[in-house]
């Protein structure tokens, strides 16, 4: 562990590098098609707290030359009108990727909406097909936050293979996909949740701790093993400040490396979503025979992996 506390794993510089590469890809796409790739951001009502996040995504799109479009369905939107709006975007060949504002209004069923998105345009990996591909070890679209949580380790040259990892949180969009990604990187993974008995014991055993619970201060310094690597995915507002789920000041004295909140996983999430959009656009090119095939999202792990065997089967959803 470095003197003076843990190494800071900052997402900002990695995100800048990624955005630079995306800008180049977007320029090449524009050259081939005479237009920018298009991301549609579907919202129902502008009041939701997630508007801040969606606004950041649209600004990032603008910076790299992606055409980010807000598609607004009335705040009183019914499930039918939202599904219809998504189907229209699926059918529009000029739209390459779709994300939908979450959480949805309480009257709208999540499954109806995620199932409505064309898996080939589902750049945040929420469609059951993409979730299933990840579960099976194939290369569909990944949920951007889970992707960022693991990518920050990879790009910071933190060893994952063979290490004991604990993921705190088992949501379909963050905790579970992060756990599957760690398994894919050959970590030995335990998933904890609100019914876990003796969370502290599990965390103490872990060499890598990913936390996505939405509970500020859930993980204290005393719970961590000395030298652990900590990725804090949580975003909470406490006394007007954004904090994670980990007690940062305590944890940095014990951990060998830790992501700050804000400034860790968040900026990387945003940048990776842009790479997913570029992948979708290129995947659609190859599906229509007007362009080249795509590289996989991440370099293959060192052990044999089934996804290499199904490139053709998954091509439409990259
Ligand atoms: P979620 O759907 O509410 O899931 C929270 C998970 O944490 C659940 O699995 C829950 O267990 C578990 N949990 C809650 N309290 C716990 C406790 N005391 N001990 C152990 N586990 C506990 O939340 P989410 O959508 O996954 O998001 C998690 C966090 O990530 C939130 O703070 C969110 O704001 C943040 N987030 C960050 C980004 C980013 O870009 N950094 C993006 C999206 C979300 P049960 O399953 O048993 O209920």
């Amino acid at each position: 562990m470095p003197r003076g506390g843990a190494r800071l794993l900052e997402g900002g510089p990695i995100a800048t590098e990624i955005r630079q590469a995306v800008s180049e890809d977007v320029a090449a796409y524009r050259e081939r098609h005479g237009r920018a790739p298009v991301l549609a951001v579907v919202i129902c009502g502008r009041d939701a707290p997630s508007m801040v996040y969606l606004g950041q995504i649209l600004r990032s799109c603008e910076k790299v030359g992606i055409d980010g479009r807000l598609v607004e369905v009335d705040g009183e939107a019914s499930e039918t009108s939202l599904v219809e709006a998504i189907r229209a975007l699926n059918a529009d060949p000029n739209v390459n990727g779709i994300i939908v504002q979450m959480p949805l209004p309480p009257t709208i069923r999540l499954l109806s909406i995620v199932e409505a998105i064309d898996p080939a345009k589902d750049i945040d990996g929420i469609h059951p097909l993409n979730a299933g591909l990840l579960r099976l070890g194939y290369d569909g679209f990944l949920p951007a936050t889970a992707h960022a949580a693991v990518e920050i380790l990879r790009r910071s040259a933190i060893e994952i293979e063979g290490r004991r990892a604990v993921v705190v949180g088992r949501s379909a969009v963050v905790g579970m996909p992060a756990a599957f990604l760690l398994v894919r990187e050959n970590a030995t993974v335990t998933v904890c949740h609100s019914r876990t008995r003796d969370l502290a014991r599990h965390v103490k055993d872990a060499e890598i701790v990913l936390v996505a619970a939405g509970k500020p201060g859930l993980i204290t310094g005393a719970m961590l093993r000395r030298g652990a690597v900590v990725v804090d995915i949580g975003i909470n507002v406490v006394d007007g400040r954004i904090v994670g789920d980990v007690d940062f000041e305590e944890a940095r004295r014990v951990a060998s490396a830790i992501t700050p909140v804000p400034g860790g996983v968040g900026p990387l999430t945003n940048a990776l979503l842009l790479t997913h959009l570029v992948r979708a656009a290129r995947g659609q090119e190859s599906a229509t025979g007007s362009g080249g095939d795509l590289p996989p999202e991440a370099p293959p792990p060192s052990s044999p992996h089934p996804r290499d065997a199904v490139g053709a089967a998954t091509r439409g959803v990259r």
Side-chain angles (χ1 to χ4, degrees):
M1 185 173 50
R3 284 176 64 185
R7 172 183 166 202
L8 268 193
L9 304 178
E10 289 179 291
I14 307 173
T16 302
E17 260 179 48
I18 290 174
R19 274 196 300 270
Q20 179 59 40
V22 170
S23 300
E24 288 164 20
D25 288 343
V26 168
Y29 183 92
R30 190 189 275 277
E31 188 89 348
R32 290 194 298 279
H33 292 266
R35 66 164 183 89
V38 173
L39 169 63
V41 178
V42 183
I43 62 166
C44 18
R46 288 174 181 250
D47 298 338
S50 55
M51 275 311 291
V52 176
Y53 170 63
L54 297 176
Q56 284 168 356
I57 291 173
L58 290 175
R59 276 194 297 282
S60 302
C61 283
E62 204 179 324
K63 278 189 201 152
V64 298
I66 290 170
D67 182 356
R69 298 179 187 170
L70 262 194
V71 177
E72 196 161 2
V73 183
D74 194 287
E76 303 295 307
S78 66
E79 195 171 292
T80 315
S81 57
L82 192 51
V83 166
E84 273 167 12
I86 292 169
R87 291 208 175 122
L89 295 168
N90 289 344
D92 184 343
N94 288 331
V95 171
N96 304 105
I98 302 169
I99 56 174
V100 180
Q101 180 185 36
M102 298 286 168
L104 294 166
T107 50
I108 299 180
R109 289 169 303 167
L110 178 64
L111 190 59
S112 314
I113 302 310
V114 300
E115 282 187 330
I117 302 173
D118 178 350
K121 297 188 178 184
D122 170 36
I123 62 160
D124 206 13
I126 61 173
H127 188 282
L129 177 67
N130 284 315
L133 288 171
L134 170 61
R135 170 67 188 83
L136 296 172
Y138 300 144
D139 208 10
F141 283 117
L142 303 173
T145 302
H147 188 189
V150 176
E151 194 65 17
I152 204 164
L153 295 174
R154 287 161 38 94
R155 294 212 182 214
S156 308
I158 304 273
E159 192 180 7
I160 304 175
E161 178 159 333
R163 296 181 89 185
R164 290 187 304 281
V166 157
V167 178
V168 183
R170 59 173 167 180
S171 72
V173 285
V174 188
M176 288 312 297
F180 289 129
L181 280 172
L182 286 171
V183 170
R184 187 162 110 171
E185 296 292 328
N186 298 316
T188 302
V189 181
T190 301
V191 177
C192 298
H193 44 77
S194 67
R195 314 285 174 88
T196 296
R197 288 191 197 142
D198 203 353
L199 176 66
R201 182 175 65 77
H202 291 286
V203 172
K204 195 72 165 186
D205 194 41
E207 297 165 287
I208 297 174
V209 183
L210 263 68
V211 193
K215 297 276 181 280
L218 178 65
I219 305 300
T220 62
M223 291 165 84
L224 294 166
R225 178 190 190 83
R226 182 154 293 281
V229 175
V230 180
V231 177
D232 191 351
I233 305 171
I235 299 179
N236 312 286
V237 180
V238 175
D239 299 332
R241 273 189 333 124
I242 292 179
V243 299
D245 291 344
V246 178
D247 184 323
F248 182 79
E249 285 310 322
E250 285 182 20
R252 71 182 307 186
R253 292 191 206 110
V254 184
S256 59
I258 185 168
T259 58
V261 179
V265 173
L268 199 51
T269 298
N270 198 318
L272 285 173
L273 198 63
L274 305 179
T275 69
H276 296 183
L277 192 267
V278 168
R279 264 182 110 204
R282 288 211 239 143
Q284 289 151 27
E285 277 180 334
S286 47
T288 56
S290 61
D293 201 357
L294 281 180
E297 180 67 72
S302 46
S303 65
H305 198 275
R307 73 190 142 146
D308 298 335
V310 293
T314 60
R315 188 152 300 133
V317 297
R318 283 177 172 178

